[in-house]
Amino acid sequence: MAIYDPQIETLPREQLHKLQGERLNWQVKRMYERVPLFRERMDEKGLSPEDIKGVEDLHKLPFSYKQDLRDHYPYGLFAEPMENIKRVHASSGTTGKQIVVGYTDGDLKRWESCVARSLSAIGVTSSSFVQNAFGYGFFTGGLGIHSAIERIGATTIPISAGNTQRQLQTMIDFSATHLACTPSYAMFLAETIEEKGLRDQLTLKAGVFGAEPWTENMRQEIENKLGIKAYDIYGLSEIMGPGVSYECEEQSGMHICEDHFIAEIIDPETEEVLPYGATGELVFTTITKEGFPVIRYRTRDICTLNAKPCACGRTHIRMGKPSGRSDDMMIIRGVNVFPSQIEEVLLKVSQGNITPNYQIIVDRVNNTDTLDVLVEMSEALFSDAVRSIEKIEKQITNSLRSILGIGATVHLVNPKTIERSEGKAKRVIDKRKL
Ligand code: DLL
C-alpha cells in the first residue's frame, strides 16, 4: 500500500525528534504571547518559553483540559484573530456544553494531509470511489474525511450518515471501492447487506472506521460480512478531528502523525509520565496548529504507545486501540465501573454464542442502583435446538461479578433487537441521569 508522504512518514526518529523540538518551541512561544490562559498557567509554574528547549522539556509544561474549552466558550482559546479562522467545528460529547474548535487555512491543509495518509494506507488512489458515510456538519468526521478524498483525487461519494437503504443502493450503483463511517454503522450496514443477500454485488475493497471504541471482534465481523479489510482511524475535535492517528496494512496499532502531534501517556491520577508500553491516559500537544493549538491536552482516552519499528516502514509511533475514556466511568452502588470492563467480559465468554452488540442500562429502583446488561445472542445460538441461554447468562453474570465486584442482571436477547446506530453507538443508558 502506498505511503502518502514517504519523506515525513518514514523520517528517521532522530530527525523527527529534532523537528518536534523546533515546532514545540515555536508553539510554546506563540501561545504564551497569544493565549492568556496558557500564559497564566506558565506564570503559575514560574515557566517562560525559554525554559522549553526541546521535547525533553515537554513534561514541565502545564496540562490543558476539556473544561478549559467550556470555560472559554466559544473562541476564548483561539490563537489567531477571527479573520484567519476559516472554519469551526463543534462537539457536544456525551456530557456538558458543546465545545468549539477553529481552523486556519493552513490547519485545514495539514488536516487534509493527515487524513490522506490514512486513506493511502488503506489503498485509496485517484481511481477509487470512497463512500463517506460519516456525518457531515459540526462533527469532524464527515468534512475531515471528505477533504482528504478530494486531495488524493479519488471520487467522493458524500452521502453522510443514515438512510441505510440509500447507502446500499448507492454503494452498489456507484461502485464504491472504499467505505468510511463509524464501526457501529459499518456493522449495521454489514448486517443489512447479509440479510438482503447483496454481498455479491459489492465492489468494496476496504473501509476506514473510527470515532468510537471498537473491538477486534467487531473488526472480524465487519471484514467477514463485507469481505473487506477494516482499518481503524482515530482523532478528536480538540486536537484536529480524524487522522490524528491511523492504521497501516499491518493493522497493529495506529501511527500518530508525530510531525504535528506529540503524544504522551500519563497516569491519570498522579499525572506522572509513563514509559512506552504502559497503559494510561493519552495526552497530546499540537505543534503545528495555528487556530486552536493545545499543549498537553488530557484526552481521557486510555491506551498504550508502541515505539517498536513497524514492518510497513513508517517510523511514527503507534497507539493501541483506546479501550474507552476515563470519564466514561459509572458509579454503581458505590463501585467504579467502566463499560470497557463489561465489554472485556463479553469478549471472553463470546465463543460464537453472542454478538458484539450490547447495551448497558443503569437505573435506580427503590434507592438502589441496578445494572442490566443486554447482549444479542448469535444467529447460531438463536437457532440452536438445545438453547443453552440460561447457562451462558449465568456464566456472564459470574464473570461480571468477579471483575466488577457487583452483581449485574444479564439478558441474552434475540439477534437484531438492540437499536443500531448511524453514528457513534450508545452503549450505556444511565436512566439515573435522564
Ligand atoms: O470522533 C473524530 C473522528 C471522526 C475520529 C471520524 C475518527 C473518525 P470527537 O467527536 O471529538 O471526534 O470524539 C473524539 O472519540 O477522544 C475517543 O474517545 C473516540 N474515538 C475517536 N476515534 C476512535 C477510535 C471524533 N478509532 C473521541 N477508537 C476520542 C476508539 C475513538 N475511540
Side-chain angles (χ1 to χ4, degrees):
M1 231 66 90
I3 297 187
Y4 179 74
D5 190 347
Q7 215 186 345
I8 284 290
E9 289 176 84
T10 64
L11 194 66
R13 287 210 64 79
E14 317 78 72
Q15 287 180 44
L16 192 55
H17 195 75
K18 187 163 167 279
L19 180 71
Q20 286 184 324
E22 288 161 10
R23 291 181 167 176
L24 177 67
N25 294 353
W26 169 82
Q27 187 66 279
V28 168
K29 191 160 175 295
R30 191 171 162 274
M31 282 182 66
Y32 190 78
E33 285 160 8
R34 298 176 181 209
V35 184
L37 179 69
F38 179 66
R39 188 190 186 106
E40 256 168 52
R41 292 205 173 134
M42 289 284 281
D43 290 348
E44 268 166 28
K45 281 183 160 266
L47 280 174
S48 74
E50 292 68 46
D51 295 321
I52 308 303
K53 308 250 179 323
V55 180
E56 58 286 358
D57 294 322
L58 184 65
H59 67 100
K60 297 179 184 164
L61 290 165
F63 288 108
S64 52
Y65 309 86
K66 192 167 214 158
Q67 190 59 38
D68 298 340
L69 280 90
R70 300 206 175 102
D71 294 345
H72 296 81
Y73 173 86
Y75 306 139
L77 298 175
F78 287 8
E80 285 286 333
M82 285 311 286
E83 65 258 35
N84 294 340
I85 300 293
K86 298 300 167 210
R87 197 199 293 167
V88 290
H89 277 280
S91 149
S92 53
T94 41
T95 47
K97 183 153 115 184
Q98 67 178 349
I99 54 150
V100 178
V101 295
Y103 305 76
T104 62
D105 256 336
D107 291 334
L108 291 172
K109 296 223 163 63
R110 284 182 287 274
W111 183 12
E112 239 172 66
S113 75
C114 290
V115 181
R117 291 178 196 177
S118 159
L119 296 183
S120 291
I122 75 160
V124 173
T125 65
S126 56
S127 45
S128 306
F129 294 76
V130 188
Q131 180 148 335
N132 186 10
F134 274 117
Y136 279 62
F138 264 172
F139 174 53
T140 52
L143 286 168
I145 301 284
H146 179 99
S147 314
I149 306 171
E150 291 191 340
R151 169 114 164 207
I152 289 183
T155 305
T156 317
I157 308 174
I159 190 162
S160 193
N163 201 339
T164 302
Q165 295 314 319
R166 189 156 161 250
Q167 294 278 354
L168 302 184
Q169 194 67 53
T170 307
M171 205 178 276
I172 294 167
D173 293 351
F174 296 10
S175 328
T177 54
H178 295 82
L179 172 66
C181 60
T182 60
S184 348
Y185 196 41
M187 284 268 293
F188 184 22
L189 288 169
E191 277 173 3
T192 319
I193 285 165
E194 194 181 48
E195 218 171 79
K196 294 187 179 297
L198 298 173
R199 162 108 180 248
D200 290 350
Q201 297 179 54
L202 295 183
T203 42
L204 280 183
K205 291 183 199 150
V208 66
F209 309 113
E212 61 179 357
W214 55 308
T215 56
E216 283 302 325
N217 234 19
M218 279 176 79
R219 191 204 303 264
Q220 284 298 311
E221 292 245 342
I222 296 170
E223 292 195 335
N224 294 342
K225 289 202 163 103
L226 290 178
I228 62 170
K229 278 276 186 202
Y231 295 92
D232 205 350
I233 183 167
Y234 167 88
L236 62 167
S237 320
E238 301 93 298
I239 301 304
M240 181 176 76
V244 171
S245 66
Y246 58 93
E247 246 178 5
C248 63
E249 66 267 24
E250 299 299 317
Q251 292 186 312
S252 134
M254 295 178 272
H255 290 282
I256 296 173
C257 293
E258 285 190 284
D259 49 327
H260 300 299
F261 314 109
I262 307 179
E264 297 168 275
I265 289 283
I266 64 160
D267 177 323
E269 303 295 326
T270 64
E271 303 193 329
E272 178 201 354
V273 179
L274 302 177
Y276 288 149
T279 302
E281 180 181 335
L282 189 57
V283 171
F284 278 114
T285 296
T286 65
I287 48 177
T288 53
K289 279 279 278 301
E290 294 168 341
F292 172 64
V294 284
I295 300 278
R296 304 195 84 199
Y297 183 76
R298 303 270 308 255
T299 65
R300 298 282 167 191
D301 288 326
I302 303 293
C303 74
T304 54
L305 294 177
N306 173 5
K308 294 194 189 102
C310 182
C312 74
R314 290 177 183 80
T315 50
H316 297 210
I317 57 170
R318 285 170 283 168
M319 57 181 266
K321 270 181 174 302
S323 57
R325 299 176 70 106
S326 57
D327 51 5
D328 284 343
M329 189 183 82
M330 305 171 282
I331 301 181
I332 302 172
R333 300 200 284 276
V335 175
N336 298 349
V337 175
F338 288 94
S340 53
Q341 292 175 296
I342 297 178
E343 185 161 315
E344 259 169 51
V345 168
L346 297 180
L347 275 178
K348 277 203 194 104
V349 300
S350 162
Q351 288 162 358
N353 288 317
I354 58 176
T355 73
N357 298 303
Y358 71 95
Q359 202 157 48
I360 299 165
I361 298 174
V362 186
D363 203 350
R364 183 165 288 143
V365 180
N366 298 332
N367 288 323
T368 307
D369 294 331
T370 57
L371 170 64
D372 287 81
V373 181
L374 274 55
V375 199
E376 276 181 17
M377 63 183 99
S378 63
E379 292 286 353
L381 178 63
F382 185 59
S383 52
D384 181 356
V386 193
R387 308 293 296 275
S388 39
I389 293 176
E390 263 179 46
K391 200 175 123 222
I392 299 166
E393 280 177 345
K394 208 165 193 172
Q395 193 187 351
I396 302 176
T397 309
N398 289 342
S399 305
L400 284 175
R401 185 175 294 112
S402 76
I403 299 281
L404 306 177
I406 55 166
T409 313
V410 176
H411 313 262
L412 281 195
V413 297
N414 288 351
K416 308 204 173 76
T417 48
I418 292 180
E419 201 191 334
R420 300 298 191 255
S421 164
E422 294 167 352
K424 303 192 190 214
K426 189 149 181 46
R427 300 276 189 210
V428 180
I429 299 176
D430 194 337
K431 293 187 173 166
R432 299 172 305 181
K433 292 184 182 157
L434 296 180

